[in-house]
Amino acid sequence: MFISCVYFSGIISDLRLDYFIRQDLKLYQHKEHFHFNTDTRLLANFLKVNDQETVLDIGTNNGALLLWVDQFEVKKLYGVEVLKEAYDIARLNADTFFQHEHEIIHAPIQEVNVESVDVIISNPPFFTQKETHPNVKMDMRQLGRIEINLTLDELIKHANRLLKSNGRFYFVHRPTRMQEILTTLNQYSFGAKRVAFAYDKDHECKSILIEAIKERRCNCQILPPIEI
């Protein structure tokens, strides 16, 4: 497979072939970039996709979540990634491993315009710039963790803009920001339908998983706790 010029501008030796959730679901990752992690796996297992739906991943990184969604009978997959290096790897993974029609877009979500989709998914940056130490080096890993290119408000605002009415929005975030999350969902006409909390071995809540519905009031279902 010749990928150095067409797909990836870096050094091929910096890529490694990993599997995501199942050993038959393989994708490339760069050893110095932000990798899929426990939150990515939690979100993959939490989200639901129906046949012939169109799915958009905000901040797709290497395309791991889309690789999982590609196992369903979807109509089309969109991946949006603002970082060029991550976009290159997502495109490589999509063109190599995906079975369904797909489009990987190199742009900030704030500038993306596509036909409204049925489902939006996202494992976004969790930490605000305000709570980040000024001496932190903004490398590829940190850019996947800190709200430099995408804030929580922007994430929810543009999920609303790109979803169909009654479309579903699945994302994972930090429980410390739960009040802000629920307030912002309400601001942009989302109703929280399903919520799950994930706990580590010390029984500390580490992640919150949310399914929100655009333009619908929902009776929110709190799911059983997830053990990481």
Side-chain angles (χ1 to χ4, degrees):
M1 184 190 306
F2 182 72
I3 60 175
S4 59
C5 293
V6 177
Y7 294 107
F8 185 62
S9 59
I11 301 171
I12 298 306
S13 61
D14 288 335
L15 294 180
R16 72 185 193 198
L17 189 61
D18 294 327
Y19 70 87
F20 181 60
I21 298 181
R22 301 196 320 242
Q23 291 190 7
D24 62 317
L25 297 182
K26 292 181 169 58
L27 79 166
Y28 290 102
Q29 300 199 95
H30 191 288
K31 64 183 183 181
E32 295 182 358
H33 292 186
F34 186 82
H35 294 174
F36 62 76
N37 55 19
T38 300
D39 287 320
T40 322
R41 295 185 184 94
L42 289 171
L43 183 57
N45 288 317
F46 177 78
L47 63 86
K48 296 181 179 180
V49 178
N50 300 318
D51 289 354
Q52 295 305 304
E53 288 190 317
T54 301
V55 181
L56 185 150
D57 183 9
I58 298 177
T60 196
N61 190 35
N62 52 33
L65 284 172
L66 290 181
L67 176 68
W68 177 256
V69 175
D70 185 57
Q71 308 311 300
F72 302 94
E73 293 302 320
V74 294
K75 182 177 181 180
K76 184 173 182 179
L77 301 172
Y78 289 101
V80 179
E81 179 53 59
V82 67
L83 302 175
K84 179 62 166 60
E85 298 88 342
Y87 158 82
D88 286 339
I89 299 174
R91 185 181 166 197
L92 165 63
N93 285 324
D95 290 351
T96 304
F97 301 114
F98 289 10
Q99 306 172 58
H100 294 92
E101 182 181 356
H102 57 269
E103 182 177 350
I104 308 300
I105 302 169
H106 175 221
I109 193 63
Q110 297 90 332
E111 299 176 6
V112 170
N113 287 290
V114 298
E115 188 174 348
S116 297
V117 301
D118 301 290
V119 176
I120 288 180
I121 58 180
S122 186
N123 180 8
F126 294 148
F127 303 108
T128 66
Q129 293 188 58
K130 182 178 180 180
E131 64 184 316
T132 302
H133 194 281
N135 293 334
V136 171
K137 179 183 177 182
M138 288 301 161
D139 57 17
M140 289 294 293
R141 290 182 185 273
Q142 295 299 336
L143 287 171
R145 302 174 72 246
I146 300 171
E147 294 182 339
I148 299 295
N149 296 302
L150 182 69
T151 65
L152 176 62
D153 183 271
E154 290 171 323
L155 170 70
I156 297 174
K157 174 182 177 180
H158 292 284
N160 171 282
R161 178 174 65 86
L162 294 167
L163 267 176
K164 296 177 180 178
S165 182
N166 292 317
R168 306 190 306 285
F169 178 31
Y170 298 96
F171 65 106
V172 59
H173 220 283
R174 286 292 176 264
T176 52
R177 299 182 69 181
M178 184 174 178
Q179 182 173 347
E180 181 185 0
I181 289 168
L182 294 176
T183 299
T184 309
L185 285 171
N186 184 67
Q187 177 184 347
Y188 290 108
S189 302
F190 280 104
K193 181 179 180 181
R194 293 163 62 238
V195 174
F197 299 92
Y199 295 83
D200 64 14
K201 62 179 181 173
D202 297 319
H203 309 294
E204 180 180 355
C205 186
K206 305 298 289 186
S207 302
I208 179 173
L209 300 149
I210 297 176
E211 176 189 3
I213 312 296
K214 178 179 174 179
E215 297 169 355
R216 186 191 294 180
R217 296 290 182 183
C218 303
N219 292 324
C220 184
Q221 179 186 10
I222 306 299
L223 301 182
I226 300 169
E227 293 183 7
I228 299 174

